[in-house]
Amino acid sequence: MAVSVQLQNLVKVFGATRAVDHITLTIEPGELFFLLGPSGCGKTTLLRCIAGFNEPDEGTILIGDRNVTRLPPHQRDTGMVFQSYALWPHMTVAQNVAFGLEMRKLSKSETAKRVDEALAMVKMTDRAAHKPNQLSGGQQQRVALARALVIHPQCLLLDEPLSNLDAKLRLEMRTEIRRICKEAGLTAIYVTHDQKEALSVADRLAVLNGGVVEQCGPPREVYQRPVSMFAASFIGETNFIHGILERSGDSAGTVKTDIGTFTSTAVAPGLNTGDRVVLSLRPETLKLGDAPADAPNRLQGAVHDSIYLGEVAQHQVRVGGDSGPNLKVFDLNPRIIARDGVEQASVWVDPRDAVVLPAEGKAAPQ
């Protein structure tokens, strides 16, 4: 049965560094939850606190209704999948998967039954007698998953499990990990720095920055409605334009900038008229070409340095005159290509896609 995981005001300090700084999160039963952020943001430290490898200096960890904050790893009912696979090279696949059950003194018949079930779940039944060095990287990762699943954990913890795989295998294993977790009905917490991995697999994700949670929510919400410049720039690509806000509604307003005035229906909460703000404009939301007469937020631009990729072109578009800023624009099924010269064109963005954020480092309240 899937359980919730609750982190209450968790703190972990190493010397002068607060790797985890008063983090509070609730992971729902059966949820595939991602901890995402750059190197050094605290995501692996947080996962190791949940696993029991790091003891927090403050705060509480609940798995289901059990307080596991001071329990050793083997008493937490969690399964861990490591970045390095950590398979015994002298053991067969089946023996590697059975190892945790043997440590728990299960009967041979029950061990064999569970090993068969776990290998079937990760589609490795036909490799049961192989040694790890006879397997591909993707197959070894499946064995590591089976070893974590075979103990029937209440919660599965994954520490950048796909980072050692090539691009094609990573794509394949993303789908497989989600399938396996959902079929097993597991609550899973997954650490990665790969934004695409998190966006494509997670039910919800938390973006960490400097030991704190910058933003938490479903992937689409975090991508389309970031609450800070850090969240907007870390999840995908974006253009930033600084300006001054004039409010006109709960989530609407206009932003005066050096290159023109923009209307927005995506103003972050907590901002007031007169505040210094930043417009976040995703490259794929910017439209390029002959703009309709009623197109909102329209600017004239000079298209240059196009990168043509067939189905899409990536343009640099200078707006606001020769000294104005460059905007990155992704153009699907492109009609304009300016590799060596300059093409004049209109560029515009829907008010729903002109996201207004605080100009300072502090995130908007969620």
Side-chain angles (χ1 to χ4, degrees):
M1 181 178 176
V3 296
S4 65
V5 178
Q6 297 179 61
L7 313 179
Q8 300 173 351
N9 209 31
L10 219 61
V11 175
K12 181 61 183 176
V13 178
F14 296 105
T17 302
R18 280 183 176 265
V20 176
D21 191 2
H22 296 283
I23 286 181
T24 295
L25 285 171
T26 297
I27 294 94
E28 301 295 338
E31 190 170 37
L32 187 47
F33 190 92
F34 271 60
L35 299 172
L36 179 68
S39 297
C41 70
K43 56 188 185 295
T44 295
T45 300
L46 185 58
L47 190 77
R48 290 177 64 85
C49 286
I50 300 168
F53 301 131
N54 288 337
E55 186 171 310
D57 297 297
E58 298 177 34
T60 304
I61 302 168
L62 299 174
I63 297 180
D65 57 0
R66 292 195 310 141
N67 185 337
V68 302
T69 312
R70 308 300 170 195
L71 291 181
H74 67 277
Q75 293 181 12
R76 297 194 178 203
D77 275 342
T78 59
M80 187 85 176
V81 180
F82 297 94
Q83 180 178 345
S84 61
Y85 315 141
L87 301 177
W88 297 104
H90 63 286
M91 292 182 179
T92 66
V93 165
Q95 289 168 339
N96 267 282
V97 175
F99 185 79
L101 299 178
E102 291 169 353
M103 294 298 100
R104 287 166 171 78
K105 309 297 184 185
L106 267 70
S107 67
K108 287 187 177 180
S109 61
E110 179 65 16
T111 296
K113 176 174 174 288
R114 286 209 199 177
V115 169
D116 289 345
E117 289 172 350
L119 290 177
M121 184 169 287
V122 300
K123 300 179 181 178
M124 287 293 290
T125 301
D126 61 341
R127 297 290 191 273
H130 287 60
K131 298 285 182 67
N133 63 6
Q134 296 174 295
L135 305 177
S136 69
Q139 289 171 332
Q140 290 184 59
Q141 190 55 271
R142 288 173 186 267
V143 176
L145 268 170
R147 184 183 54 192
L149 294 168
V150 77
I151 62 172
H152 294 177
Q154 289 189 308
C155 180
L156 183 64
L157 308 175
L158 304 104
D159 187 9
E160 303 203 41
L162 307 184
S163 60
N164 291 330
L165 304 183
D166 62 39
K168 184 179 179 181
L169 273 175
R170 281 201 302 272
L171 288 172
E172 176 186 319
M173 285 303 297
R174 284 178 194 172
T175 305
E176 283 297 282
I177 285 176
R178 183 169 177 87
R179 175 189 65 81
I180 289 163
C181 289
K182 293 303 179 182
E183 283 185 4
L186 280 171
T187 304
I189 304 173
Y190 189 125
V191 160
T192 186
H193 62 272
D194 187 323
Q195 301 97 315
K196 298 295 186 186
E197 199 171 296
L199 290 171
S200 62
V201 179
D203 293 320
R204 279 194 309 144
L205 58 88
V207 180
L208 271 63
N209 180 25
V212 302
V213 175
E214 192 86 9
Q215 186 169 1
C216 181
R220 184 176 177 183
E221 176 187 299
V222 174
Y223 184 81
Q224 294 186 343
R225 293 292 182 268
V227 298
S228 68
M229 292 178 67
F230 176 84
S233 60
F234 187 78
I235 303 287
E237 297 186 62
T238 195
N239 300 285
F240 289 132
I241 301 173
H242 290 261
I244 302 294
L245 176 65
E246 292 185 355
R247 293 305 302 252
S248 60
D250 288 343
S251 60
T254 59
V255 178
K256 291 187 175 181
T257 76
D258 290 342
I259 59 173
T261 298
F262 290 80
T263 61
S264 169
T265 57
V267 178
L271 295 174
N272 301 304
T273 297
D275 284 352
R276 293 188 177 277
V277 295
V278 172
L279 275 168
S280 172
L281 308 175
R282 297 285 189 194
E284 70 274 11
T285 66
L286 292 164
K287 313 293 193 301
L288 191 65
D290 295 327
D294 60 348
N297 301 328
R298 181 173 55 176
L299 300 167
Q300 279 302 116
V303 184
H304 63 98
D305 291 332
S306 299
I307 300 174
Y308 180 66
L309 300 173
E311 76 280 7
V312 67
Q314 299 177 3
H315 306 290
Q316 294 292 325
V317 182
R318 184 175 293 109
V319 293
D322 292 341
S323 61
N326 279 315
L327 301 180
K328 178 174 279 191
V329 178
F330 294 164
D331 189 16
L332 188 64
N333 190 21
R335 295 287 183 259
I336 297 173
I337 302 295
R339 278 178 167 157
D340 302 313
V342 174
E343 294 258 359
Q344 299 298 320
S346 296
V347 59
W348 72 101
V349 64
D350 191 294
R352 294 172 297 180
D353 299 317
V355 181
V356 183
L357 303 172
E360 283 73 33
K362 186 179 179 181
Q366 298 181 62

